[in-house]
Amino acid sequence: LLPAHARRDFRDGLLKLSQHQHPNLIRVWDVIEGQLSYLILEYVEGIALAELIRQSGRMIANRALRLMNQIADTLKHLHQHG
């Protein structure tokens, strides 16, 4: 189990994230805390980036650049909106 301060920081980060709306962010619907904690997240059909890389190996440059641009755009949004 995480120490209380780590759980609090994690919860606060999730609650802050839940306030953002961006096409590349999974929505955080709820955080339920108790002896065990649960996250209720938006369901997005598809595979995770790590799985995509594992399955396809090396990516062609154009595809990798598109993904990196999406990631950069999302990070820019988060930075600009706190």
Side-chain angles (χ1 to χ4, degrees):
L1 293 175
L2 292 173
H5 73 282
R7 288 194 310 272
R8 186 175 52 251
D9 290 347
F10 185 67
R11 181 200 63 231
D12 292 348
L14 288 169
L15 292 174
K16 194 171 194 180
L17 183 61
S18 72
Q19 297 169 1
H20 290 275
Q21 290 188 354
H22 188 276
N24 297 331
L25 284 176
I26 292 176
R27 297 286 311 260
V28 177
W29 295 117
D30 202 358
V31 179
I32 300 170
E33 295 182 272
Q35 187 170 352
L36 295 175
S37 295
Y38 300 90
L39 298 176
I40 300 175
L41 303 173
E42 171 186 21
Y43 175 76
V44 177
E45 195 166 333
I47 63 172
L49 178 59
E51 184 62 25
L52 175 68
I53 293 169
R54 222 180 346 269
Q55 286 179 3
S56 63
R58 292 182 62 165
M59 269 188 222
I60 60 171
N62 287 343
R63 187 172 191 189
L65 285 172
R66 277 196 318 273
L67 289 171
M68 291 305 296
N69 282 334
Q70 290 176 4
I71 293 167
D73 184 56
T74 306
L75 291 173
K76 179 182 174 184
H77 168 84
L78 290 171
H79 180 72
Q80 289 177 338
H81 297 88

PDB file of all heavy atoms in Angstrom, residues 5-34:
ATOM      1  N   HIS A   5       0.458  10.212   2.025  1.00  0.00           N
ATOM      2  CA  HIS A   5       0.768  11.387   1.203  1.00  0.00           C
ATOM      3  C   HIS A   5       0.831  11.020  -0.286  1.00  0.00           C
ATOM      4  O   HIS A   5       0.422  11.800  -1.144  1.00  0.00           O
ATOM      5  CB  HIS A   5       2.065  12.065   1.659  1.00  0.00           C
ATOM      6  CG  HIS A   5       3.301  11.310   1.297  1.00  0.00           C
ATOM      7  ND1 HIS A   5       3.731  10.204   1.992  1.00  0.00           N
ATOM      8  CD2 HIS A   5       4.181  11.510   0.292  1.00  0.00           C
ATOM      9  CE1 HIS A   5       4.842   9.738   1.434  1.00  0.00           C
ATOM     10  NE2 HIS A   5       5.141  10.512   0.405  1.00  0.00           N
ATOM     11  N   ALA A   6       1.292   9.830  -0.615  1.00  0.00           N
ATOM     12  CA  ALA A   6       1.366   9.395  -2.014  1.00  0.00           C
ATOM     13  C   ALA A   6      -0.041   9.149  -2.556  1.00  0.00           C
ATOM     14  O   ALA A   6      -0.342   9.509  -3.704  1.00  0.00           O
ATOM     15  CB  ALA A   6       2.222   8.143  -2.140  1.00  0.00           C
ATOM     16  N   ARG A   7      -0.915   8.550  -1.750  1.00  0.00           N
ATOM     17  CA  ARG A   7      -2.303   8.344  -2.171  1.00  0.00           C
ATOM     18  C   ARG A   7      -3.004   9.677  -2.394  1.00  0.00           C
ATOM     19  O   ARG A   7      -3.734   9.856  -3.369  1.00  0.00           O
ATOM     20  CB  ARG A   7      -3.066   7.514  -1.133  1.00  0.00           C
ATOM     21  CG  ARG A   7      -2.672   6.041  -1.102  1.00  0.00           C
ATOM     22  CD  ARG A   7      -3.667   5.196  -0.319  1.00  0.00           C
ATOM     23  NE  ARG A   7      -3.987   5.712   1.002  1.00  0.00           N
ATOM     24  CZ  ARG A   7      -3.303   5.426   2.112  1.00  0.00           C
ATOM     25  NH1 ARG A   7      -2.260   4.620   2.066  1.00  0.00           N
ATOM     26  NH2 ARG A   7      -3.670   5.923   3.265  1.00  0.00           N
ATOM     27  N   ARG A   8      -2.754  10.624  -1.499  1.00  0.00           N
ATOM     28  CA  ARG A   8      -3.368  11.945  -1.615  1.00  0.00           C
ATOM     29  C   ARG A   8      -2.882  12.662  -2.883  1.00  0.00           C
ATOM     30  O   ARG A   8      -3.672  13.215  -3.640  1.00  0.00           O
ATOM     31  CB  ARG A   8      -3.047  12.777  -0.378  1.00  0.00           C
ATOM     32  CG  ARG A   8      -3.733  14.117  -0.309  1.00  0.00           C
ATOM     33  CD  ARG A   8      -3.466  14.852   1.001  1.00  0.00           C
ATOM     34  NE  ARG A   8      -2.050  14.946   1.315  1.00  0.00           N
ATOM     35  CZ  ARG A   8      -1.439  14.274   2.298  1.00  0.00           C
ATOM     36  NH1 ARG A   8      -2.124  13.460   3.081  1.00  0.00           N
ATOM     37  NH2 ARG A   8      -0.145  14.409   2.516  1.00  0.00           N
ATOM     38  N   ASP A   9      -1.564  12.612  -3.144  1.00  0.00           N
ATOM     39  CA  ASP A   9      -1.017  13.244  -4.348  1.00  0.00           C
ATOM     40  C   ASP A   9      -1.575  12.596  -5.609  1.00  0.00           C
ATOM     41  O   ASP A   9      -1.900  13.278  -6.584  1.00  0.00           O
ATOM     42  CB  ASP A   9       0.516  13.158  -4.356  1.00  0.00           C
ATOM     43  CG  ASP A   9       1.161  14.039  -3.301  1.00  0.00           C
ATOM     44  OD1 ASP A   9       0.463  14.898  -2.720  1.00  0.00           O
ATOM     45  OD2 ASP A   9       2.372  13.862  -3.060  1.00  0.00           O
ATOM     46  N   PHE A  10      -1.675  11.269  -5.600  1.00  0.00           N
ATOM     47  CA  PHE A  10      -2.209  10.541  -6.747  1.00  0.00           C
ATOM     48  C   PHE A  10      -3.666  10.925  -6.991  1.00  0.00           C
ATOM     49  O   PHE A  10      -4.065  11.240  -8.105  1.00  0.00           O
ATOM     50  CB  PHE A  10      -2.066   9.034  -6.495  1.00  0.00           C
ATOM     51  CG  PHE A  10      -2.469   8.181  -7.657  1.00  0.00           C
ATOM     52  CD1 PHE A  10      -1.736   8.182  -8.830  1.00  0.00           C
ATOM     53  CD2 PHE A  10      -3.586   7.364  -7.576  1.00  0.00           C
ATOM     54  CE1 PHE A  10      -2.097   7.383  -9.906  1.00  0.00           C
ATOM     55  CE2 PHE A  10      -3.964   6.564  -8.644  1.00  0.00           C
ATOM     56  CZ  PHE A  10      -3.209   6.571  -9.813  1.00  0.00           C
ATOM     57  N   ARG A  11      -4.462  10.939  -5.924  1.00  0.00           N
ATOM     58  CA  ARG A  11      -5.877  11.315  -6.034  1.00  0.00           C
ATOM     59  C   ARG A  11      -6.019  12.747  -6.538  1.00  0.00           C
ATOM     60  O   ARG A  11      -6.813  13.025  -7.438  1.00  0.00           O
ATOM     61  CB  ARG A  11      -6.573  11.172  -4.681  1.00  0.00           C
ATOM     62  CG  ARG A  11      -8.065  11.529  -4.751  1.00  0.00           C
ATOM     63  CD  ARG A  11      -8.669  11.871  -3.395  1.00  0.00           C
ATOM     64  NE  ARG A  11      -8.025  13.046  -2.850  1.00  0.00           N
ATOM     65  CZ  ARG A  11      -7.520  13.123  -1.618  1.00  0.00           C
ATOM     66  NH1 ARG A  11      -7.571  12.102  -0.797  1.00  0.00           N
ATOM     67  NH2 ARG A  11      -6.947  14.228  -1.192  1.00  0.00           N
ATOM     68  N   ASP A  12      -5.226  13.665  -5.990  1.00  0.00           N
ATOM     69  CA  ASP A  12      -5.303  15.068  -6.413  1.00  0.00           C
ATOM     70  C   ASP A  12      -4.944  15.216  -7.887  1.00  0.00           C
ATOM     71  O   ASP A  12      -5.573  15.981  -8.614  1.00  0.00           O
ATOM     72  CB  ASP A  12      -4.396  15.943  -5.554  1.00  0.00           C
ATOM     73  CG  ASP A  12      -4.880  16.060  -4.116  1.00  0.00           C
ATOM     74  OD1 ASP A  12      -6.026  15.658  -3.826  1.00  0.00           O
ATOM     75  OD2 ASP A  12      -4.094  16.546  -3.275  1.00  0.00           O
ATOM     76  N   GLY A  13      -3.939  14.477  -8.340  1.00  0.00           N
ATOM     77  CA  GLY A  13      -3.563  14.506  -9.751  1.00  0.00           C
ATOM     78  C   GLY A  13      -4.664  13.979 -10.643  1.00  0.00           C
ATOM     79  O   GLY A  13      -4.942  14.547 -11.705  1.00  0.00           O
ATOM     80  N   LEU A  14      -5.306  12.907 -10.216  1.00  0.00           N
ATOM     81  CA  LEU A  14      -6.417  12.346 -10.996  1.00  0.00           C
ATOM     82  C   LEU A  14      -7.607  13.290 -11.035  1.00  0.00           C
ATOM     83  O   LEU A  14      -8.242  13.456 -12.070  1.00  0.00           O
ATOM     84  CB  LEU A  14      -6.839  10.994 -10.432  1.00  0.00           C
ATOM     85  CG  LEU A  14      -5.867   9.865 -10.678  1.00  0.00           C
ATOM     86  CD1 LEU A  14      -6.261   8.648  -9.857  1.00  0.00           C
ATOM     87  CD2 LEU A  14      -5.804   9.524 -12.150  1.00  0.00           C
ATOM     88  N   LEU A  15      -7.912  13.916  -9.921  1.00  0.00           N
ATOM     89  CA  LEU A  15      -9.028  14.854  -9.896  1.00  0.00           C
ATOM     90  C   LEU A  15      -8.743  16.053 -10.800  1.00  0.00           C
ATOM     91  O   LEU A  15      -9.629  16.535 -11.505  1.00  0.00           O
ATOM     92  CB  LEU A  15      -9.325  15.303  -8.461  1.00  0.00           C
ATOM     93  CG  LEU A  15      -9.887  14.208  -7.556  1.00  0.00           C
ATOM     94  CD1 LEU A  15     -10.016  14.707  -6.116  1.00  0.00           C
ATOM     95  CD2 LEU A  15     -11.225  13.706  -8.069  1.00  0.00           C
ATOM     96  N   LYS A  16      -7.498  16.501 -10.802  1.00  0.00           N
ATOM     97  CA  LYS A  16      -7.113  17.596 -11.695  1.00  0.00           C
ATOM     98  C   LYS A  16      -7.219  17.154 -13.152  1.00  0.00           C
ATOM     99  O   LYS A  16      -7.728  17.883 -14.004  1.00  0.00           O
ATOM    100  CB  LYS A  16      -5.684  18.035 -11.364  1.00  0.00           C
ATOM    101  CG  LYS A  16      -5.293  19.337 -11.960  1.00  0.00           C
ATOM    102  CD  LYS A  16      -3.940  19.763 -11.392  1.00  0.00           C
ATOM    103  CE  LYS A  16      -3.694  21.219 -11.700  1.00  0.00           C
ATOM    104  NZ  LYS A  16      -2.416  21.669 -11.174  1.00  0.00           N
ATOM    105  N   LEU A  17      -6.746  15.946 -13.439  1.00  0.00           N
ATOM    106  CA  LEU A  17      -6.826  15.405 -14.794  1.00  0.00           C
ATOM    107  C   LEU A  17      -8.272  15.269 -15.250  1.00  0.00           C
ATOM    108  O   LEU A  17      -8.593  15.489 -16.413  1.00  0.00           O
ATOM    109  CB  LEU A  17      -6.115  14.049 -14.864  1.00  0.00           C
ATOM    110  CG  LEU A  17      -6.030  13.373 -16.216  1.00  0.00           C
ATOM    111  CD1 LEU A  17      -5.261  14.237 -17.214  1.00  0.00           C
ATOM    112  CD2 LEU A  17      -5.360  12.014 -16.085  1.00  0.00           C
ATOM    113  N   SER A  18      -9.166  14.945 -14.326  1.00  0.00           N
ATOM    114  CA  SER A  18     -10.576  14.746 -14.689  1.00  0.00           C
ATOM    115  C   SER A  18     -11.237  16.033 -15.174  1.00  0.00           C
ATOM    116  O   SER A  18     -12.276  15.988 -15.809  1.00  0.00           O
ATOM    117  CB  SER A  18     -11.352  14.158 -13.515  1.00  0.00           C
ATOM    118  OG  SER A  18     -11.534  15.135 -12.503  1.00  0.00           O
ATOM    119  N   GLN A  19     -10.626  17.165 -14.907  1.00  0.00           N
ATOM    120  CA  GLN A  19     -11.187  18.447 -15.325  1.00  0.00           C
ATOM    121  C   GLN A  19     -10.813  18.794 -16.766  1.00  0.00           C
ATOM    122  O   GLN A  19     -11.343  19.756 -17.320  1.00  0.00           O
ATOM    123  CB  GLN A  19     -10.718  19.545 -14.376  1.00  0.00           C
ATOM    124  CG  GLN A  19     -11.197  19.330 -12.964  1.00  0.00           C
ATOM    125  CD  GLN A  19     -10.524  20.260 -11.975  1.00  0.00           C
ATOM    126  OE1 GLN A  19      -9.713  21.094 -12.333  1.00  0.00           O
ATOM    127  NE2 GLN A  19     -10.860  20.102 -10.716  1.00  0.00           N
ATOM    128  N   HIS A  20      -9.897  18.047 -17.354  1.00  0.00           N
ATOM    129  CA  HIS A  20      -9.430  18.330 -18.711  1.00  0.00           C
ATOM    130  C   HIS A  20     -10.246  17.550 -19.737  1.00  0.00           C
ATOM    131  O   HIS A  20     -10.620  16.409 -19.504  1.00  0.00           O
ATOM    132  CB  HIS A  20      -7.960  17.936 -18.872  1.00  0.00           C
ATOM    133  CG  HIS A  20      -7.046  18.831 -18.098  1.00  0.00           C
ATOM    134  ND1 HIS A  20      -6.595  20.025 -18.596  1.00  0.00           N
ATOM    135  CD2 HIS A  20      -6.506  18.709 -16.870  1.00  0.00           C
ATOM    136  CE1 HIS A  20      -5.816  20.595 -17.706  1.00  0.00           C
ATOM    137  NE2 HIS A  20      -5.747  19.822 -16.646  1.00  0.00           N
ATOM    138  N   GLN A  21     -10.489  18.220 -20.858  1.00  0.00           N
ATOM    139  CA  GLN A  21     -11.108  17.547 -21.996  1.00  0.00           C
ATOM    140  C   GLN A  21     -10.211  17.781 -23.198  1.00  0.00           C
ATOM    141  O   GLN A  21      -9.938  18.927 -23.570  1.00  0.00           O
ATOM    142  CB  GLN A  21     -12.502  18.095 -22.259  1.00  0.00           C
ATOM    143  CG  GLN A  21     -13.488  17.706 -21.193  1.00  0.00           C
ATOM    144  CD  GLN A  21     -14.899  18.102 -21.567  1.00  0.00           C
ATOM    145  OE1 GLN A  21     -15.151  18.762 -22.558  1.00  0.00           O
ATOM    146  NE2 GLN A  21     -15.851  17.675 -20.755  1.00  0.00           N
ATOM    147  N   HIS A  22      -9.728  16.700 -23.751  1.00  0.00           N
ATOM    148  CA  HIS A  22      -8.850  16.752 -24.922  1.00  0.00           C
ATOM    149  C   HIS A  22      -9.032  15.433 -25.658  1.00  0.00           C
ATOM    150  O   HIS A  22      -9.172  14.386 -25.028  1.00  0.00           O
ATOM    151  CB  HIS A  22      -7.393  16.936 -24.480  1.00  0.00           C
ATOM    152  CG  HIS A  22      -6.460  17.186 -25.601  1.00  0.00           C
ATOM    153  ND1 HIS A  22      -5.919  16.164 -26.344  1.00  0.00           N
ATOM    154  CD2 HIS A  22      -5.975  18.334 -26.119  1.00  0.00           C
ATOM    155  CE1 HIS A  22      -5.133  16.681 -27.272  1.00  0.00           C
ATOM    156  NE2 HIS A  22      -5.150  17.995 -27.155  1.00  0.00           N
ATOM    157  N   PRO A  23      -9.024  15.463 -26.981  1.00  0.00           N
ATOM    158  CA  PRO A  23      -9.271  14.221 -27.737  1.00  0.00           C
ATOM    159  C   PRO A  23      -8.273  13.106 -27.460  1.00  0.00           C
ATOM    160  O   PRO A  23      -8.589  11.938 -27.662  1.00  0.00           O
ATOM    161  CB  PRO A  23      -9.198  14.650 -29.202  1.00  0.00           C
ATOM    162  CG  PRO A  23      -9.006  16.106 -29.229  1.00  0.00           C
ATOM    163  CD  PRO A  23      -8.866  16.614 -27.838  1.00  0.00           C
ATOM    164  N   ASN A  24      -7.089  13.435 -26.966  1.00  0.00           N
ATOM    165  CA  ASN A  24      -6.075  12.408 -26.730  1.00  0.00           C
ATOM    166  C   ASN A  24      -5.976  11.986 -25.269  1.00  0.00           C
ATOM    167  O   ASN A  24      -5.076  11.227 -24.909  1.00  0.00           O
ATOM    168  CB  ASN A  24      -4.704  12.891 -27.211  1.00  0.00           C
ATOM    169  CG  ASN A  24      -4.687  13.133 -28.703  1.00  0.00           C
ATOM    170  OD1 ASN A  24      -5.427  12.498 -29.451  1.00  0.00           O
ATOM    171  ND2 ASN A  24      -3.882  14.067 -29.144  1.00  0.00           N
ATOM    172  N   LEU A  25      -6.871  12.467 -24.433  1.00  0.00           N
ATOM    173  CA  LEU A  25      -6.862  12.094 -23.017  1.00  0.00           C
ATOM    174  C   LEU A  25      -8.038  11.187 -22.702  1.00  0.00           C
ATOM    175  O   LEU A  25      -9.176  11.469 -23.087  1.00  0.00           O
ATOM    176  CB  LEU A  25      -6.971  13.330 -22.123  1.00  0.00           C
ATOM    177  CG  LEU A  25      -5.740  14.192 -21.958  1.00  0.00           C
ATOM    178  CD1 LEU A  25      -6.080  15.419 -21.130  1.00  0.00           C
ATOM    179  CD2 LEU A  25      -4.617  13.413 -21.308  1.00  0.00           C
ATOM    180  N   ILE A  26      -7.766  10.133 -21.974  1.00  0.00           N
ATOM    181  CA  ILE A  26      -8.844   9.295 -21.463  1.00  0.00           C
ATOM    182  C   ILE A  26      -9.481  10.034 -20.299  1.00  0.00           C
ATOM    183  O   ILE A  26      -8.787  10.577 -19.434  1.00  0.00           O
ATOM    184  CB  ILE A  26      -8.295   7.924 -20.994  1.00  0.00           C
ATOM    185  CG1 ILE A  26      -7.819   7.133 -22.197  1.00  0.00           C
ATOM    186  CG2 ILE A  26      -9.343   7.154 -20.218  1.00  0.00           C
ATOM    187  CD1 ILE A  26      -7.177   5.820 -21.839  1.00  0.00           C
ATOM    188  N   ARG A  27     -10.801  10.081 -20.297  1.00  0.00           N
ATOM    189  CA  ARG A  27     -11.507  10.779 -19.220  1.00  0.00           C
ATOM    190  C   ARG A  27     -11.477   9.951 -17.940  1.00  0.00           C
ATOM    191  O   ARG A  27     -11.654   8.742 -17.958  1.00  0.00           O
ATOM    192  CB  ARG A  27     -12.971  11.007 -19.610  1.00  0.00           C
ATOM    193  CG  ARG A  27     -13.205  11.882 -20.816  1.00  0.00           C
ATOM    194  CD  ARG A  27     -12.969  13.362 -20.539  1.00  0.00           C
ATOM    195  NE  ARG A  27     -13.635  13.843 -19.355  1.00  0.00           N
ATOM    196  CZ  ARG A  27     -14.780  14.513 -19.334  1.00  0.00           C
ATOM    197  NH1 ARG A  27     -15.398  14.785 -20.448  1.00  0.00           N
ATOM    198  NH2 ARG A  27     -15.301  14.914 -18.197  1.00  0.00           N
ATOM    199  N   VAL A  28     -11.249  10.640 -16.837  1.00  0.00           N
ATOM    200  CA  VAL A  28     -11.351  10.041 -15.505  1.00  0.00           C
ATOM    201  C   VAL A  28     -12.756  10.354 -15.018  1.00  0.00           C
ATOM    202  O   VAL A  28     -13.100  11.506 -14.794  1.00  0.00           O
ATOM    203  CB  VAL A  28     -10.302  10.634 -14.540  1.00  0.00           C
ATOM    204  CG1 VAL A  28     -10.479  10.044 -13.141  1.00  0.00           C
ATOM    205  CG2 VAL A  28      -8.887  10.409 -15.058  1.00  0.00           C
ATOM    206  N   TRP A  29     -13.594   9.319 -14.896  1.00  0.00           N
ATOM    207  CA  TRP A  29     -14.979   9.532 -14.484  1.00  0.00           C
ATOM    208  C   TRP A  29     -15.114   9.639 -12.972  1.00  0.00           C
ATOM    209  O   TRP A  29     -15.910  10.419 -12.472  1.00  0.00           O
ATOM    210  CB  TRP A  29     -15.877   8.423 -15.006  1.00  0.00           C
ATOM    211  CG  TRP A  29     -15.985   8.385 -16.498  1.00  0.00           C
ATOM    212  CD1 TRP A  29     -15.576   7.373 -17.311  1.00  0.00           C
ATOM    213  CD2 TRP A  29     -16.508   9.385 -17.376  1.00  0.00           C
ATOM    214  NE1 TRP A  29     -15.814   7.684 -18.628  1.00  0.00           N
ATOM    215  CE2 TRP A  29     -16.398   8.920 -18.702  1.00  0.00           C
ATOM    216  CE3 TRP A  29     -17.063  10.642 -17.176  1.00  0.00           C
ATOM    217  CZ2 TRP A  29     -16.817   9.649 -19.803  1.00  0.00           C
ATOM    218  CZ3 TRP A  29     -17.490  11.366 -18.277  1.00  0.00           C
ATOM    219  CH2 TRP A  29     -17.363  10.876 -19.567  1.00  0.00           C
ATOM    220  N   ASP A  30     -14.339   8.821 -12.253  1.00  0.00           N
ATOM    221  CA  ASP A  30     -14.484   8.844 -10.793  1.00  0.00           C
ATOM    222  C   ASP A  30     -13.281   8.181 -10.143  1.00  0.00           C
ATOM    223  O   ASP A  30     -12.592   7.370 -10.765  1.00  0.00           O
ATOM    224  CB  ASP A  30     -15.757   8.101 -10.380  1.00  0.00           C
ATOM    225  CG  ASP A  30     -16.274   8.513  -9.008  1.00  0.00           C
ATOM    226  OD1 ASP A  30     -15.638   9.358  -8.343  1.00  0.00           O
ATOM    227  OD2 ASP A  30     -17.331   8.004  -8.608  1.00  0.00           O
ATOM    228  N   VAL A  31     -13.032   8.559  -8.914  1.00  0.00           N
ATOM    229  CA  VAL A  31     -12.016   7.938  -8.063  1.00  0.00           C
ATOM    230  C   VAL A  31     -12.737   7.496  -6.799  1.00  0.00           C
ATOM    231  O   VAL A  31     -13.367   8.301  -6.130  1.00  0.00           O
ATOM    232  CB  VAL A  31     -10.878   8.923  -7.713  1.00  0.00           C
ATOM    233  CG1 VAL A  31      -9.854   8.270  -6.806  1.00  0.00           C
ATOM    234  CG2 VAL A  31     -10.223   9.482  -8.970  1.00  0.00           C
ATOM    235  N   ILE A  32     -12.685   6.206  -6.513  1.00  0.00           N
ATOM    236  CA  ILE A  32     -13.352   5.660  -5.334  1.00  0.00           C
ATOM    237  C   ILE A  32     -12.267   5.186  -4.383  1.00  0.00           C
ATOM    238  O   ILE A  32     -11.426   4.370  -4.750  1.00  0.00           O
ATOM    239  CB  ILE A  32     -14.284   4.491  -5.715  1.00  0.00           C
ATOM    240  CG1 ILE A  32     -15.346   4.990  -6.701  1.00  0.00           C
ATOM    241  CG2 ILE A  32     -14.921   3.888  -4.467  1.00  0.00           C
ATOM    242  CD1 ILE A  32     -16.161   3.879  -7.322  1.00  0.00           C
ATOM    243  N   GLU A  33     -12.305   5.723  -3.182  1.00  0.00           N
ATOM    244  CA  GLU A  33     -11.274   5.394  -2.214  1.00  0.00           C
ATOM    245  C   GLU A  33     -11.849   4.645  -1.033  1.00  0.00           C
ATOM    246  O   GLU A  33     -12.982   4.864  -0.630  1.00  0.00           O
ATOM    247  CB  GLU A  33     -10.595   6.675  -1.729  1.00  0.00           C
ATOM    248  CG  GLU A  33      -9.849   7.392  -2.828  1.00  0.00           C
ATOM    249  CD  GLU A  33      -9.149   8.609  -2.323  1.00  0.00           C
ATOM    250  OE1 GLU A  33      -9.779   9.675  -2.309  1.00  0.00           O
ATOM    251  OE2 GLU A  33      -7.990   8.464  -1.930  1.00  0.00           O
ATOM    252  N   GLY A  34     -11.064   3.764  -0.522  1.00  0.00           N
ATOM    253  CA  GLY A  34     -11.411   2.963   0.644  1.00  0.00           C
ATOM    254  C   GLY A  34     -10.178   2.150   0.988  1.00  0.00           C
ATOM    255  O   GLY A  34      -9.054   2.583   0.755  1.00  0.00           O
TER     256      GLY A  34
END
